[in-house]
Amino acid sequence: MPPSDLRDSDGGSEDDENEQGSLRRCVVTRERAAPELMLRFVVGPDRGLVPDLNARLPGRGIWLSARRDVLETARTRGVFARAARGQVVIPSDLVAVIESGLARRVVEILGLARRAGQSVSGYAKVREWIEARQVGLIVQASDGSPDECARLLSGARDLPVVKPLTALSLGHVFGRERVVHAALRRGALATRLQQESERFAGVAGAVTLRASDISDDRVEQADK
């Protein structure tokens, strides 16, 4: 990103009154997006930079697109200080802190959906929900088989799919050894999980499925 792209980032942090509608503007890219898809930061009384993943902390917000390269640019090129109009102390592990925080939010929403009866796991149960047109979001393990996911979505390829966690991590949420496929009903939790998964994917980097890591036989044993 050329330096000229950052020339007007001073004052571009927002909760500004002149911000259009409910959108926020990234202080690095200058692009506007819905706040639930972005990252908000505030500066504490000690001038320390505080990630505000809930977007609820008091103070003037500094907004960034939820992308790892944008975070690194802001961290290394003085963007936070210009947006805050003063010195800012940035944690050395800022990106890792945000990545782990977003991963926790994904797990929390999945757990809430499970306890509320808004989700199921396992190929057969997910397929039943798909056929009954109850699904708002498909969750596949990041180390699952893309071919298996394609078979699962037969006749419903328009359903959104997120892949934020490994099969072991998904299994932990659902109280099983491994879970490769899960689904959430249409509704607020499915929307929230999709948004959080998109933020997490942007910060953690694109997930590449490794089909060689898990065979179809292992999927059947782990996910029925």
Side-chain angles (χ1 to χ4, degrees), residues 82-93:
R82 286 196 291 275
R85 300 186 178 97
Q87 181 182 2
V88 176
V89 179
I90 304 173
S92 60
D93 59 348

Side-chain angles (χ1 to χ4, degrees), residues 78-200:
V79 174
F80 289 117
R82 286 196 291 275
R85 300 186 178 97
Q87 181 182 2
V88 176
V89 179
I90 304 173
S92 60
D93 59 348
L94 177 65
V95 177
V97 167
I98 294 171
E99 184 176 335
S100 63
L102 292 173
R104 283 195 301 272
R105 290 173 69 83
V106 167
V107 170
E108 288 168 0
I109 296 171
L110 272 171
L112 180 59
R114 180 186 63 80
R115 293 190 297 273
Q118 295 296 306
S119 66
V120 291
S121 63
Y123 187 100
K125 291 181 180 179
V126 171
R127 188 62 202 171
E128 287 178 7
W129 275 29
I130 291 175
E131 292 174 352
R133 301 185 182 277
Q134 296 178 324
V135 176
L137 182 67
I138 296 290
V139 183
Q140 187 187 29
S142 60
D143 51 353
S145 163
D147 291 338
E148 190 75 10
C149 185
R151 285 192 288 274
L152 179 73
L153 292 173
S154 177
R157 298 295 173 84
D158 58 330
L159 286 175
V161 179
V162 296
K163 308 164 187 175
L165 304 173
T166 65
L168 288 175
S169 296
L170 278 175
H172 182 73
V173 173
F174 286 94
R176 301 168 63 179
E177 183 178 352
R178 297 172 62 87
V179 166
V180 178
H181 305 290
L184 274 69
R185 292 186 190 273
R186 294 188 187 91
L189 288 176
T191 299
R192 284 177 56 196
L193 182 60
Q194 185 174 0
Q195 292 166 347
E196 293 297 348
S197 296
E198 289 177 6
R199 292 206 298 174
F200 175 70

